[in-house]
Amino acid sequence: MERMTFRLMFRKMRHHLPQLIGIGLLVMVGTAFFVTLYTIYLSYDRRANELFINQCYADVTFYGSFDEYDVAAVESSEGITLARGRIVHDFRNGDIILRAVSLTDEINIPYIHEGTLPSASNECALLKKHAQAHGTGVGDTIVLQGKSLRVTAIVASPEYVYMVQNERAMMARPDRFGVVFVTNDFFNGTYNEIAALGEITKDEAEIIGESIGAARTVTQDNQVNKVLFREDLKQIRTFSYIFPLVFAFLIVMVIYVMIKRTLALERRQIGVCKALGMTEGRLLLLYIAQTAVVALLGAVFGCVAAALLCDTIIGFFSVMFEVPGLAYEFYPVLCGCVILAFMALSAVSVLIGARKVLSPMPAELMRPRMPSGGKQILLEKAAFLWKRLSFNTRYALKSALRNKGRFFAVLLGMCGSCALLTFALGFFNSAEYTQTAYFDGFANYDVMMEISPMPMEMAHPVEEKFDVINRALMIPVKIDGDEYPLLVVEENFDMQRIDTSRIRDGVLIPRHYARKWNVEAGDTLRINDADVTVTAVFEQNFGLSIYTGYDYVKEIIRDFVPVYNVIFARGADISELKDLSLRYSFSYSTLPDDKNSFASLMESLNTLIWFMLACAVILGLTVLYAVGLMNLSSREYEYMFMGVMGYSLKNIMNAHIKETLIQLVIAIPFGFALGYGILNVVKTAFSSDNFVLSAAKYNESYAYAGIAVILMSALVAVVSGFYVNRLNIVEGLKVINE
């Protein structure tokens, strides 16, 4: 009996081969996508954390002006096991900024790709991304602040998994920003950073920072580099679920429709099997086994495809970050769980489709199946219009709605593909819109300079070089345990387009922060240890800050002394800034610098977007082809009969194309809406405390997505034409009478 059941299963699989191939393709592509991205997620997480641990990424960093006594005080603090002072300074050469970092023993150790770390003041190690961007190798010479340095090593760093220049330029371009590691002898002067290792909380670290007069204390988890790492992990994992969920839904739909159709056609065979003693459970297992075997094969081939594609995709992601040793790794538990999940999904789909079909008695099943009645469609009731349609058009309309399951399976395939294309193209639009909204609609300055704090009554020497200047005080504040930048400005501040009339009575916050803290205009917000009033909520996409006025700060902070440490300016001669920054020891960023930073961030996102577009096209072709195979297989006898009745291939395909057009007209608008909805949901995974992606969708992107789905449907229609042309009426009659 077991052997007979086994042979019967494979015989049925051969008979339903087109539908099963379609299901297998869906499973394979869904598995390949999920396993590829989730493997990258797991590998990236493991390798990056290994880099942080092995290269002794500092647990806390203190910023300010320090000497050896301060370093000793930190090292002797409870919870600190090791502390080292270092000097970090940025040098600008035209558009290129080189950051010189003095090496620290046993903390933030560079990972050596090639060469050896420098040991003399005229030697240096260069970060790999910048070296690649400029074609620099070991043995070459670079010039840093007038000094020639020989490159002795090409390295990676736990601090620069991302090319983080500062909190505004989170993803600097490697051709415009580089990190140079030098010996302590390169610098003369006091330390401006202390890096420390130890098991220590954020509050404990801040207490130590206050004791040594640190201007700022940042724990490892709050370093921009580490924040970006966590956010990218979240984004990769989010993407790994989006597409497979669409595939899973379509697989359930395809199997459901296929099983309903198959069981309807095989009623007589099922009745005979039940009459011979085969139980409902064994019959159900027979059909479950077919789809489970196909799901198993599809998932296995998907895992193999993931192994072949993973390193290529990692190469694309390397634009965003650099982690030594990141490559494809085989995770047997991941592959096993995915295979079992798709097999279980196929089994559940069969159970849903067959739950009411196998229960009738054998005699009832062996009776001829009653054909479904030809119900009038809505258009048919409008007789004056219906009569004016050709027979071919009326046939297309009737056949399209005759089998609702099959119709909706094709419809969902088109809708899913259109939605994912709309979603991917929407990212391009959102990035462009976000950039335009900030740099053309919000920012109104040429340069921003960060200086040492100065009293408001004192003018900085650099001010005379500019036509228009605005002063501000930027300070970190705590809200719900996290740090955020607060910008205290004067009422005549016009370097960023905010309503300065509101700053005298409270704080202005970006909408992203308002959603995060669940506050609106008029609510109270606790900043540090003071309750402040939120007077307005505004839109800001880049360089997020909280804004308030000097007068309001005087009201809530006793003994507040008005000072400024930021100067915004317009009308500057940018070429003079380099010399001025060296003369007066301040750092600055121009609006073009911020644009370049934003462009670099978008380049990293574009890698994901192109990957999404490719997957959306693959999804569309796979789904439409799979559902098309199922549709053709279930209607092959109908097309054979039409051929016998004298219909030409052209007439048959005309009806088929008209049916496809009906589905496209319905599916594309729903695909647009679904894609935009997914974009709005997923955009939060790409927003941080410094950057917010605004969902936007341009009309041309809707057009591109719609055209792509139409072209894919046209390609499937061409394949369908070849299939219909090869149908053999004699073979068909033999098979249908078995």
Side-chain angles (χ1 to χ4, degrees), residues 84-239:
R84 294 286 185 269
R86 69 176 185 178
I87 300 175
V88 179
H89 194 78
D90 289 352
F91 298 97
R92 185 182 288 261
N93 182 16
D95 291 334
I96 300 174
I97 296 175
L98 288 178
R99 174 168 297 166
V101 180
S102 61
L103 291 167
T104 48
D105 296 337
E106 302 181 75
I107 302 179
N108 294 333
I109 306 166
Y111 176 93
I112 301 174
H113 285 290
E114 180 183 0
T116 57
L117 291 178
S119 57
S121 60
N122 63 342
E123 296 178 340
C124 70
L126 196 59
L127 204 64
K128 182 180 178 180
K129 279 188 174 293
H130 184 77
Q132 287 178 331
H134 290 275
T136 306
V138 173
D140 293 341
T141 301
I142 65 170
V143 178
L144 187 65
Q145 194 59 17
K147 299 179 182 178
S148 294
L149 301 177
R150 186 172 64 87
V151 178
T152 62
I154 303 298
V155 300
S157 170
E159 294 180 278
Y160 295 97
V161 169
Y162 298 84
M163 294 294 284
V164 178
Q165 183 177 337
N166 52 51
E167 290 186 353
R168 295 178 63 83
M170 295 183 296
M171 295 284 287
R173 287 172 50 178
D175 60 330
R176 292 176 177 264
F177 174 72
V179 181
V180 182
F181 295 93
V182 296
T183 61
N184 285 322
D185 297 336
F186 178 83
F187 292 104
N188 292 316
T190 58
Y191 302 128
N192 58 8
E193 291 184 15
I194 297 177
L197 298 176
E199 296 289 335
I200 187 170
T201 66
K202 186 177 180 180
D203 291 338
E204 291 170 341
E206 288 181 348
I207 292 172
I208 296 173
E210 290 175 3
S211 68
I212 61 172
R216 191 180 178 205
T217 301
V218 181
T219 57
Q220 184 187 110
D221 286 340
N222 291 313
Q223 293 279 1
V224 178
N225 181 67
K226 191 69 174 287
V227 170
L228 288 173
F229 162 69
R230 291 198 306 269
E231 289 177 353
D232 264 357
L233 277 180
K234 180 177 67 175
Q235 292 163 10
I236 294 171
R237 185 171 57 183
T238 300
F239 273 118

Side-chain angles (χ1 to χ4, degrees), residues 92 168 445-449 587-591 593-594:
R92 185 182 288 261
R168 295 178 63 83
Y445 61 90
D446 292 335
V447 61
M448 184 187 78
M449 295 161 285
S587 61
Y588 69 92
S589 66
T590 65
L591 199 61
D593 289 337
D594 288 344

Side-chain angles (χ1 to χ4, degrees), residues 272-329:
V272 171
C273 290
K274 291 186 72 173
L276 292 173
M278 186 174 285
T279 63
E280 288 183 17
R282 187 176 291 274
L283 278 169
L284 195 59
L285 183 62
L286 180 68
Y287 288 100
I288 289 175
Q290 295 179 51
T291 55
V293 168
V294 171
L296 171 64
L297 293 174
V300 169
F301 281 118
C303 291
V304 172
L308 298 175
L309 292 172
C310 201
D311 283 336
T312 302
I313 304 302
I314 287 173
F316 293 150
F317 281 124
S318 64
V319 174
M320 298 163 51
F321 48 75
E322 181 191 2
V323 176
L326 182 62
Y328 171 75
E329 296 181 46

Side-chain angles (χ1 to χ4, degrees), residues 446-565:
D446 292 335
V447 61
M448 184 187 78
M449 295 161 285
E450 297 182 34
I451 62 173
S452 299
M454 293 186 65
M456 295 295 291
E457 60 271 14
M458 290 183 60
H460 193 280
V462 78
E463 292 182 10
E464 64 185 27
K465 304 293 183 180
F466 303 98
D467 297 336
V468 182
I469 65 103
N470 279 170
R471 300 170 177 176
L473 173 64
M474 184 175 287
I475 53 176
V477 295
K478 275 190 175 183
I479 301 175
D480 293 338
D482 294 322
E483 275 191 2
Y484 300 91
L486 171 67
L487 204 62
V488 185
V489 300
E490 299 174 289
E491 288 193 24
N492 64 349
F493 181 81
D494 67 346
M495 295 297 171
Q496 292 176 333
R497 293 179 176 90
I498 60 173
D499 185 1
T500 54
S501 65
R502 303 290 188 91
I503 62 175
R504 69 185 70 170
D505 301 316
V507 298
L508 284 66
I509 62 174
R511 190 168 302 281
H512 176 68
Y513 288 167
R515 293 193 190 101
K516 182 175 182 179
W517 301 326
N518 194 27
V519 295
E520 298 177 353
D523 292 345
T524 299
L525 182 67
R526 190 161 187 82
I527 298 180
N528 289 342
D529 297 323
D531 291 327
V532 301
T533 302
V534 178
T535 55
V537 175
F538 63 96
E539 296 291 343
Q540 186 178 1
N541 306 98
F542 182 73
L544 304 186
S545 298
I546 307 167
Y547 297 85
T548 191
Y550 280 94
D551 292 338
Y552 187 71
V553 175
K554 289 178 184 177
E555 292 179 12
I556 61 175
I557 299 179
R558 186 176 299 176
D559 301 327
F560 173 71
V561 178
V563 296
Y564 66 99
N565 59 5

Side-chain angles (χ1 to χ4, degrees), residues 664-707:
L664 284 170
V665 168
I666 299 172
I668 289 178
F670 280 102
F672 290 158
L674 180 59
Y676 189 70
I678 295 173
L679 178 62
N680 273 284
V681 171
V682 175
K683 70 173 185 178
T684 55
F686 293 87
S687 299
S688 65
D689 290 335
N690 191 61
F691 164 72
V692 177
L693 187 70
S694 296
K697 198 76 179 66
Y698 299 157
N699 290 334
E700 57 266 29
S701 294
Y702 285 119
Y704 294 149
I707 290 170

